[in-house]
């Protein structure tokens, strides 16, 4: 009798599970469509993984708004910072191959690499880079405004880039840290980061619609354009094309492909019986290695608390369930990947809307459904959404007559340099000052005395807020000698011409 009951339970289990999943997904289309319309979004693509299977995948809205071409589960989106877990995986593979230890110092693999302080040199390990514990934090301006011809050339600037936090004892999200990790992978494998991602991850996971180049992406038949809102109107944006920062932001993928990526992590590094990353590394990567916010919840229905980070993944307690996730955003795109290892499911949401938490909202809604915590009620959410940045049509460049500059405008012209960043030029055209970087050109607007601010002159990819202060300083002879640009807490560029 016991054997019969046991066999019945085995036979009934998949049926019950299938019925439960159908209940979880009941009305999902309508709820996603409602959220999409509420955000005035153009398109999203969704995939849900349960017990090592993609149980749901669908596209909503448009990948090409102008021509009304629909999003499909195979539509390729830029996934932004969700790329970091791919770079983490490369490091995990190198560890498994015993080519490196996570306790190694980065300079062991990048010749001549040194940080700006002895303490950073003594403490920072590869593991610290994975966990965002280097103290380096945000120094994105160095490669955004002054890209290097090769990624490894950026490392020569590190001695001149000041720390943003205490090494090892603080958590500071650092894109540059992942550029270093990508460089380490390149040095040890003798191949480019792009080649490694394709060879070691995309091909084995059958992620056939994925790549690491926007130029390659737009050659495909099914890809999405980037969009954002401006004064409640949908605007098509320029693509952001990662270069030096590829290891932190360059993967482009589809919801279906990303479903296989989720399967790999939920299976502890195994995909379709092939072990790509060790269980030891994947467990550590999805662990709360560094606590970001350990404060207790302040209300009973708080969505998350105990916020932490592993190796390329964030971790938290979500409605009483352990969650591993990451969000991504580049010009015109946002992405969300959420996994619940103990519950054996994951959610991928890709969108083509900038300055928006639409991907995260939909991912949380689906997660609550899959956890059977929705109580058959629509998901309540607070919408977070901002306008894109556009050039001002009529920029007022008139000098503040009440607080005039100390010199005539020609005196501010010249070239300014900083070893941690690069060299830019300030020139005068007509009655206006312009600042020209290797990648951008802004007009300078006078605020008071020797303080100016930069404004856009043309549309750019939505990569940063272009409003920077430029505060000019004088030498002991009263001549303009340097300017402090308000990046990384204020960075001084010396006048050389």
């Amino acid at each position: 009798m016991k054997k019969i009951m046991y066999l019945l339970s085995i036979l009934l289990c998949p049926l019950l599970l299938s019925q439960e999943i159908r209940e979880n997904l009941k009305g999902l289309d309508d709820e996603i469509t409602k959220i999409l319309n509420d955000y005035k979004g153009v398109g999203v693509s969704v995939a849900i993984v349960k017990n090592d299977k993609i149980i749901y995948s669908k596209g909503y809205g448009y990948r090409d708004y102008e021509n009304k071409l629909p999003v499909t589960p195979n539509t390729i989106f830029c996934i932004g910072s969700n790329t970091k877990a791919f770079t983490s995986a490369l490091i995990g593979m190198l560890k498994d191959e015993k080519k490196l230890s996570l306790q190694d110092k980065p300079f062991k693999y990048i010749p001549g690499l040194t940080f700006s302080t002895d303490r950073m040199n003594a403490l920072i390990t590869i593991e610290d880079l994975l966990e965002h514990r280097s103290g380096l934090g945000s120094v994105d301006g160095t490669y955004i405004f002054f890209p290097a011809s090769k990624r490894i050339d950026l490392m020569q600037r590190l001695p001149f880039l000041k720390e943003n936090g205490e090494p090892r004892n603080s958590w500071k999200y650092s894109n540059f840290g992942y550029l270093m990790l990508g460089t380490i992978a390149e040095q040890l494998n003798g191949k480019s980061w792009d080649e490694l991602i394709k060879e070691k991850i995309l091909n084995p996971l059958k992620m056939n619609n994925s790549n690491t180049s926007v130029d390659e992406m737009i050659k495909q038949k099914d890809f999405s354009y980037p969009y954002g809102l401006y004064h409640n109107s949908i605007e098509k944006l320029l693509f952001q094309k990662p270069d030096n920062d590829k290891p932190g932001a360059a993967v482009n993928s589809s919801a279906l492909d990303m479903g296989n990526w989720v399967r790999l992590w939920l299976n502890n590094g195994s995909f379709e019986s092939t072990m790509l990353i060790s269980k030891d590394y994947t467990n550590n990567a999805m662990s709360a290695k560094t606590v970001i916010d350990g404060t207790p919840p302040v209300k009973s229905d708080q969505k998350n608390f105990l916020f932490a980070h592993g190796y390329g993944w964030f971790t938290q307690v979500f409605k009483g369930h352990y969650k591993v996730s990451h969000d991504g955003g580049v010009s015109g795109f946002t992405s969300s990947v959420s996994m619940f290892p103990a519950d054996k499911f994951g959610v991928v949401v890709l969108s083509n809307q900038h300055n928006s938490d639409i991907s995260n909202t939909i991912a949380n809604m689906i997660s609550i459904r899959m956890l059977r915590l929705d109580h058959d009620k629509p998901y309540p959410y607070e919408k977070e959404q901002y306008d894109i940045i556009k050039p001002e049509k009529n920029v007022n460049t008139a000098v503040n007559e009440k607080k005039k500059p100390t010199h005539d405008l020609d005196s501010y012209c010249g070239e300014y340099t900083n070893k941690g960043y690069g060299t830019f030029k300030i020139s005068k055209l007509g009655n206006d000052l312009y600042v020209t970087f290797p990648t951008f050109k802004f007009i300078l607007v006078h605020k008071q005395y020797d303080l100016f601010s930069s404004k856009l002159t043309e549309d750019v990819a939505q990569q940063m807020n272009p409003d920077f202060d430029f505060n000019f300083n004088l030498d002991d002879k009263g001549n303009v000698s340097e300017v402090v640009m308000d990046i990384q807490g204020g960075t001084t560029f010396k006048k050389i011409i």
Side-chain angles (χ1 to χ4, degrees), residues 18 50 132 137 201 235 291 313 429 456 472 485:
S18 178
K50 177 70 176 179
H132 296 295
I201 298 176
E235 299 260 354
V291 175
W313 293 108
L429 181 62
L456 283 179
F472 293 87
M485 182 179 176

Side-chain angles (χ1 to χ4, degrees), residues 215-451:
D215 290 335
E216 182 179 346
M217 167 180 156
I218 61 178
K219 293 177 183 177
Q220 310 307 310
K221 291 182 179 180
D222 191 354
F223 73 92
S224 176
Y225 286 103
Y227 297 94
L229 288 180
Y230 189 71
H231 296 170
N232 210 35
S233 294
I234 295 170
E235 299 260 354
K236 192 175 186 179
L237 305 180
L238 295 175
F239 281 103
Q240 180 178 330
K241 296 184 177 182
D243 184 15
N244 290 161
D245 53 333
K246 276 193 168 189
V251 170
N252 311 306
S253 191
S254 67
L256 271 178
D257 277 9
M258 290 296 288
N260 283 351
W261 174 241
V262 168
R263 289 172 61 195
L264 173 75
W265 287 93
L266 290 178
N267 270 336
N268 299 305
S270 175
F271 179 74
E272 296 183 351
S273 302
T274 300
M275 185 65 70
L276 298 181
I277 321 172
S278 69
K279 183 176 181 179
D280 174 70
Y281 186 83
T282 54
N283 280 345
N284 276 292
M286 297 191 290
S287 296
K289 308 290 286 185
T290 302
V291 175
I292 301 168
D293 182 5
T295 58
V298 295
K299 52 186 180 180
S300 60
D301 65 342
Q302 187 166 320
K303 288 187 300 185
N304 59 70
F305 55 98
L306 298 177
F307 202 43
H309 194 272
Y311 303 158
W313 293 108
F314 290 97
T315 69
Q316 65 194 74
V317 176
F318 178 92
K319 297 288 187 179
H321 295 256
Y322 189 79
K323 176 182 175 181
V324 178
S325 65
H326 210 296
D327 295 334
V330 288
S331 182
F333 297 94
T334 60
S335 64
S336 178
V337 176
S338 303
M339 298 182 291
F340 295 80
D343 301 284
K344 301 294 183 185
F345 83 90
V347 180
V348 175
V349 182
L350 310 178
S351 87
N352 53 17
Q353 185 177 67
H354 191 73
N355 273 2
S356 165
D357 67 343
I358 185 172
S359 297
N360 204 264
T361 294
I362 292 174
N364 284 343
M365 178 270 290
I366 294 173
S367 298
I368 286 174
R369 277 173 165 266
M370 294 295 292
L371 293 169
R372 298 299 293 157
L373 298 173
D374 62 321
H375 306 298
D376 297 320
K377 294 180 180 179
Y379 173 62
Y381 58 90
E382 295 180 8
K383 183 167 63 174
E384 189 173 335
Q385 193 173 48
Y386 307 98
D387 273 358
I388 60 170
I389 296 169
K390 290 177 67 69
E392 296 179 23
K393 291 184 178 180
N394 299 301
V395 179
N396 182 8
T397 59
V399 166
N400 181 349
E401 292 294 335
K402 293 182 179 180
K403 299 179 180 180
K404 291 184 178 181
T406 59
H407 291 62
D408 60 76
L409 295 185
D410 289 309
S411 298
Y412 300 96
C413 296
E415 292 187 2
Y416 296 79
T417 192
N418 179 288
K419 290 183 179 179
Y421 289 83
T423 301
F424 62 78
K425 183 178 181 180
I426 293 179
S427 55
K428 185 181 175 188
L429 181 62
N431 294 319
D432 296 322
L433 289 179
Y434 289 85
V435 54
T436 304
F437 296 91
T439 50
F440 296 97
K441 184 177 182 179
F442 304 128
I443 191 168
L444 288 179
V445 176
H446 183 243
K447 297 177 75 173
Q448 62 177 13
Y449 306 121
D450 291 332
L451 178 63

